[in-house]
Amino acid sequence: MVYKFEDLEVWQRALDYADQIHDIAEQLPKHERYNLADQMTRAANSIALNIAEGSTGQSDA
């Protein structure tokens, strides 16, 4: 099943952004991986999740 948000350019860009953030987080020093890296990746993932959640209330008019 294809959801409406999957066709949105902003959602696709959010996924690309999350991938980039995950790559950056892996390059952080070891002492930052558990705090800063975790916070960065959760925030980046949250963008795409919020877009998906916000689109659930929309209907075909």
Side-chain angles (χ1 to χ4, degrees):
M1 178 176 190
V2 177
Y3 297 99
K4 290 181 182 182
F5 64 86
E6 291 177 328
D7 292 331
L8 296 174
E9 182 180 351
V10 69
W11 184 76
Q12 295 167 0
R13 286 183 178 224
L15 292 181
D16 293 339
Y17 178 73
D19 288 340
Q20 291 175 356
I21 293 297
H22 282 268
D23 292 341
I24 292 169
E26 288 178 2
Q27 297 173 14
L28 291 173
K30 284 189 177 184
H31 67 278
E32 292 292 351
R33 288 200 182 151
Y34 296 106
N35 292 323
L36 181 58
D38 181 58
Q39 184 177 2
M40 287 171 52
T41 56
R42 285 186 294 115
N45 292 336
S46 179
I47 297 169
L49 292 172
N50 286 337
I51 293 167
E53 183 180 355
S55 73
T56 59
Q58 297 177 356
S59 63
D60 293 328

